[in-house]
Structures are given as structure tokens and as C-alpha cells.
Amino acid sequence: MVSNRFPLLYQTVRDSLRGMVYWSIGIVAVISLYLLVYPSMIEGQEAYETVFDNLPEALVEGMGWHDITSGPGYLDYTVYSLFGPIFLLILAISYGSRLVAGEESQGALDVYLSYPLDRTRLLLERFGALVSIIIGIGALLGLVVAGYVVLLDMGVSMNNIVAGTVGLILLAIFFGTLALCTGAATGRTGVVMGVAAGFAVLSYVFQTLAPIVDWLGWIETLSPFHYAIGGDPLRAGFDVTGIIVLIGATGLVLGAGIMLFERRDVRS
Amino acid sequence: MQGEPAIVTTELTKDYGPVLGVDRLNLTVNTGEIFGFLGPNGAGKTTLIRLLLDLIRPTSGEARVFDQDARTGGPDLRRKIGFLPGDWKLETSHPAGEFLQFLGRLRGGVPESNITDLADRLGLNLGASVRSLSRGNKQKVGLIQAFMHEPELLILDEPTSGLDPLMQREFLAMAREAREQGRTVFMSSHVLSEVQHVADRAGVIRNGRLVTIMNIDALRTHAQVHLSVRFAEPVDHREFSEIPGIRGLQVDDTLLTCLVDGDIDPVIKAIARHRVTQFLSEEPDLEELFLTHYRDDAANGQ
């Protein structure tokens, strides 16, 4: 049984279930709010397009409004580029920071590490728990979106919904792992927030600005968002390169986290 | 029950930069003994314990537990250890029993009866949510998880803190039983009386340095006694001051107080020459010896 083979992973997920229910309710509510507006968007399509035509090109481009009246465009603008990543990243970073650094400040890490459980194992079980939680919530998001796409006839294929959702999940796993491993490497929740949340906000901004600011073009390639949603998965489907880059980056962060965690003093 | 030592530290040093955690500490704890580790807060007790568990790494020197380097002993070594941390906030909302079973699974499984027996003994309600427990009851959760797998070595940081006197006594009984089974108890404390009651030997640490190791049995058998004698008539200071082994002599009219170190017979004989109205003899407690030690150190310009 999982509870015996990976007790820490199992318990971490179990302890998170109640929180996950609230996250799920929130996700369903916000997706519904956005997507139930979609039909009225279609009705007023011409009026919107007139408005956007009169706005500066850079603004429309930067805000992702250029295609907002199409099914994929609307879904991308509302869920996959805006609320989805924000929601999943907050979830991932808050769990990621709690699972090592948060426990350390409560003295619980001392106890776990005094057990026959080496640090690598502890971090890997926590990583497993984090991934499970993110996949759980991310899959729910994908399912709800798929339901609305069918219901409202938004013209996005299931394959592309899966592609977009996988991108979001991998993005959240990357930032969650960054938070987890920053915590494992430093033991300070403050540093975790600074590094993981700071990097997330910066890369989101770069990703958004890159299309309109020429010299930011190269910097976009440093943003994990670029690899998750930059390939326009709702229209183009899976971005294999992006997926490989995100998984690779997550692996590197995890490896560095393990190395630094093994080497340092646990804070008292 | 004495084989290889349970704990050996060699010139063990942890330098925290501005402060020294522990400084060139040489200490041996024998298998099957209760070793009390005494010192005021901040003296380095917790630092030493965390070094033994590989939670922190020494700046220099070495700590060996059951002849394995604490640094590299890994899970196999820690399987033999039960640890009670000094500062554990215990914020989980699970019932205490479930939480302890989870901790048991982290150890690869612990018989449930071990947990319930210990809980009965310490009077802990396993159904109560851990977060809602009082400080004393949280301490019981900590003690149970340290004892539940019957480890060969118990490393306990301030085990009685937060416990009421009855439970303190119960804990001391548990420690003695562990010793009877040939297990080793290494406990830190700043409460000297409990160490005096239970320990075989006690180390005193101050500013990260091991000041002294006391053999508590030897201390007890060593005839050292406080005397307080009231006479019917005033006595002369000089009559007693020459007796060997007498220290801190004070004669105030009819009241004599002193500490006798060694043979008490000549003192009794001298006292017996007078009519005595009150006689009180007391063993000095560890606290007194301990404080004397600190004072001596301070006097030496430390």
C-alpha cells in the first residue's frame, strides 16, 4: 500500500485533501464565471472587434485581445494565459514552500530526519506529493474546461485542451519544485517566497511583454511560461520541445535541491 | 550490559560564526547507562544532540554513535535511535493516535500496542487532536514517538519540560526501565534534581565546553554532608576549625553550620562534647555541586 511504502507522500497528500476541496471549488467557480460569459461575447462580437480595432495595436497584442472573440482565443485569454497559471502557481508555490521550509520552522523536520529516512528520500516523497496535488487540481481544471468547451461549442479539440492543460500542470510543477527546493536548500520560507514567487511574476511579465517589446524577444526564452503556453497549445496542440524543457528544468531544480539539502544544517 | 560505548565524541566542534555551539567536546556515553547532560539554556546541549543526529554538521571533530560516524550512519544508524526534540510545535490536526501511527509507518511500522501502552502509562488521550493538546500532552506525544520502537539509544532533549510532577516521575521510571533492558538514555536537562534521581553519570556543559563529568553514585557514596547543629550554649569556633575535612564553617553563637567532606567521625565526637538541642544533616544536591562548579569557574576568570 502507498501508505506503507511512501508514508510521507501518502500522508502529505491526505493532509492536503481538505485544502484541495476548497481549491477545486474555487477553480470550478472562476472557470464558470469566465466561460459562462462567452456566449454573450459571441453575440457582441462585432462591437468588441470595433473597440479593439480602435485601440493601439501593441496594447491589444500585449493583453492578448487580438483574438478574444474566437473560442480558442477566449479560452486562452481567460483560462490558459491568465487565471489558470495564476491559480495553479499560487497553489504550487504555497504547497512547495510549506512542505520543507514551513515544517522546518515548526521543528517537525528535526523529527522526520531523526527517523530512518534520509534527506533525499524525504525530499523525493514531498516532491511526489506536490506533483500529485498539482496533477489532481490541474486535471480537474482540464475536465471542467472540456465540459464547457463542449457545452458552449467553443471549437477547441480535446487534444488541444489536454495539451494546454499539460502545459499548465508542468508549469505549476516547475514553480512548485522551485519553491520546494529553495526551501530545502535554505530552510527559509521568506527566501522561498522571494525566489519562487518573484521568478514567477517576472517571467509572467516577460512572457506578456515580449510580443510587444522587441528587445525582450530573447529574454522570453528564459521564461517558463514561454514553454508552457507560448506555443499556443489551444490551436497548435502539444509543444514537445516546451514539455521537454519544462521537465528538464524541473529535474535540474530537484537535483540541485537534493544536493544542497543533503549538505546543509537543518535550522533549529 | 557494557560493551562498546553508545556515544563517543572526539574534539567535536560546531562553530556558528559569532557563537560557538560546542567547543572541542570529548564525551563518552556507555551502553546501558543513563547519562544526564546538564547546563543552562544556550550552553550547547541542543547543538550536541543535533550533531549526534546529523541534523547539523560539525565544523571539526567527530561524533560516533554505536561506532558509526553520525555523519554517514544514515537510516541504519537512526533506526536504533529514539529522539525527542526540545522544540517541536506539533501543529497537525490529526488525532494523536493516528499521528503516532503515521510516525510509526515512517519507521517502517511499530506495533499499535506499543503506542497504546505508552499512552495509557502517560495518560494521553489518543483520540484528541494533536493541535488542541496542552503543552504537557504534546510532550507526551513526543515521548511516545521516541520510545515506541524500543530504540537502543534514547536521545531526549529536556524530556520532562511541560510535564506535571506525576508524569515526570512516570517518565523517570520509563528511563530506568529502558536502562534495565540494556538500552542507553542520553538526556539533557536544566533541572538537576531529575538527573540526580535517574542518571548514572552527568556531564555539565557551559558555553559549549564540557566542564565536568560527575559519577552520581560516587557522589552519593562520597561522604559529603551539610551539618546544621544547635547547641544549648555558645560554642567556640576554634574548637571545630582544626578538624580535617570541615569546610565553610560558621559558628553564630549557639548555631554551627558546615560542610563535611570525608570522615565525619571526628566532627561528631567534637559535637558530642556539648549539649545538642537540634541536629540536621543534609546531603548536598547536584544543584549545589553544580553551582559551586560554576562559581569556581567564574572565580578563575572564565
Side-chain angles (χ1 to χ4, degrees), chain A residues 83-106:
Chain A
F83 138 79
I86 291 174
F87 222 76
L88 283 183
L89 258 55
I90 292 175
L91 169 90
I93 292 172
S94 66
Y95 274 103
S97 72
R98 202 178 308 167
L99 292 184
V100 172
E103 260 176 2
E104 191 162 351
S105 62
Q106 292 180 0

Side-chain angles (χ1 to χ4, degrees), chain B residues 221-225 244-247 259-267:
Chain B
T221 52
H222 188 95
Q224 202 177 42
V225 71
I246 218 161
R247 298 208 324 234
L259 178 81
V260 184
D261 192 0
D263 191 3
I264 198 164
D265 188 63
V267 187

